[in-house]
């Protein structure tokens, strides 16, 4: 890459920039504006961050609230899982199971972004246990296939298959309704 000297004649005072430098500057400017562009469309970068906090509330089997050391409250949606709604069959049991695992305990949280409700999409660990995986393994939540990919898809669907086979948790009932299907049917009934 080279920048040639000042040209003479009509274009006095301008630098001639080689094509490679121009292309490099263009690509760099696109990378620098990508986060701003993503922010305009409310898309989060795929980066993660971790922190510790104490769980102060369990809303249901996949949503909790915690208080960080800075006294900041965080509303967390457990990533990769979908637990029954409170009003759904096994919803109370699922929430109770999660409550027993994490309520008033110090946990380590790894957050991967936020959902459309502003909740942090996170994986929680307590005493070395991956809580998200434990919820599926124990039959208290589904593997949220709609959002799973790669190694997570293999792990979570395997845990769900084992829970189903051994009739753990919600799998002791014949034909349990997936939470996403349940939510969709409730919305449809409200529209009528």
């Amino acid at each position: 890459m080279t920048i040639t000297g000042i040209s003479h004649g009509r274009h006095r005072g301008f630098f001639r920039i080689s094509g490679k430098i121009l292309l490099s500057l263009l690509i760099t400017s696109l990378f620098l504006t990508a986060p701003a562009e993503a922010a305009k469309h409310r898309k989060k970068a795929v980066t993660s961050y971790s922190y510790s906090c104490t769980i102060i509330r369990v809303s249901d089997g996949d949503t909790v609230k915690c208080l960080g050391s800075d006294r900041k409250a965080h509303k967390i949606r457990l990533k990769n899982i979908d637990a029954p709604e409170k009003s759904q069959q096994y919803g109370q049991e699922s929430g109770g199971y999660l409550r027993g695992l994490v309520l008033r305990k110090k946990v380590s949280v790894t957050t991967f972004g936020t959902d459309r409700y502003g909740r942090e999409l996170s994986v929680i660990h307590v005493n070395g246990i991956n809580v998200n995986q434990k919820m599926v393994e124990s039959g208290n939540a589904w593997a949220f296939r709609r959002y799973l990919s790669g190694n997570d898809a293999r792990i979570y669907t395997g845990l769900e298959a084992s829970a189903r086979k051994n009739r753990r948790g919600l799998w002791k009932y014949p034909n349990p309704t997936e939470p996403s299907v349940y939510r969709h049917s409730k919305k449809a009934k409200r529209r009528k």
Side-chain angles (χ1 to χ4, degrees):
M1 291 190 272
T2 58
I3 298 179
T4 57
I6 299 174
S7 59
H8 297 283
R10 294 186 320 178
H11 302 287
R12 180 173 279 176
F14 288 95
F15 288 97
R16 262 190 275 159
I17 301 175
S18 74
K20 287 181 180 178
I21 290 178
L22 186 58
L23 182 60
S24 176
L25 290 171
L26 178 63
I27 290 171
T28 302
S29 72
L30 288 174
F31 280 118
L32 292 175
T33 60
E37 192 64 26
K40 277 199 293 190
H41 298 287
R42 294 185 175 189
K43 292 182 180 175
K44 300 288 180 185
V46 186
T47 58
S48 64
Y49 60 92
S50 299
Y51 60 92
S52 294
C53 65
T54 301
I55 302 294
I56 58 173
R57 181 170 185 234
V58 175
S59 301
D60 57 25
D62 56 26
T63 308
V64 298
K65 192 174 195 177
C66 74
L67 199 58
S69 58
D70 59 356
R71 309 302 292 165
K72 180 182 176 192
H74 300 264
K75 192 159 187 183
I76 297 170
R77 171 65 163 82
L78 300 184
K79 185 178 187 287
N80 300 328
I81 75 170
D82 199 14
E85 299 297 320
K86 285 190 274 191
S87 59
Q88 187 178 354
Q89 181 184 46
Y90 206 77
Q92 297 295 323
E93 294 91 334
S94 175
Y97 187 84
L98 181 57
R99 204 170 288 110
L101 281 175
V102 299
L103 189 61
R104 291 188 289 284
K105 293 181 183 170
K106 188 166 185 145
V107 299
S108 116
V109 179
T110 304
T111 297
F112 298 89
T114 56
D115 68 6
R116 62 184 172 162
Y117 303 107
R119 300 175 298 186
E120 297 175 10
L121 294 169
S122 306
V123 173
I124 296 176
H125 287 83
V126 62
N127 300 324
I129 297 168
N130 181 318
V131 173
N132 303 46
Q133 291 178 7
K134 188 71 174 170
M135 289 297 291
V136 176
E137 178 185 39
S138 63
N140 283 283
W142 272 259
F144 210 171
R145 285 171 176 75
R146 182 173 167 188
Y147 298 106
L148 285 171
S149 62
N151 196 39
D152 282 343
R154 184 185 57 76
I155 292 169
Y156 284 87
T157 57
L159 292 171
E160 182 184 300
S162 174
R164 281 177 187 249
K165 180 181 175 185
N166 294 299
R167 302 183 58 81
R168 289 191 294 262
L170 62 93
W171 303 112
K172 65 184 173 189
Y173 297 105
N175 305 315
T177 303
E178 259 186 271
S180 58
V181 172
Y182 178 80
R183 288 188 297 267
H184 183 72
S185 68
K186 280 187 74 169
K187 284 180 187 175
K189 284 179 186 175
R190 281 193 296 248
R191 284 187 223 139
K192 288 182 180 182

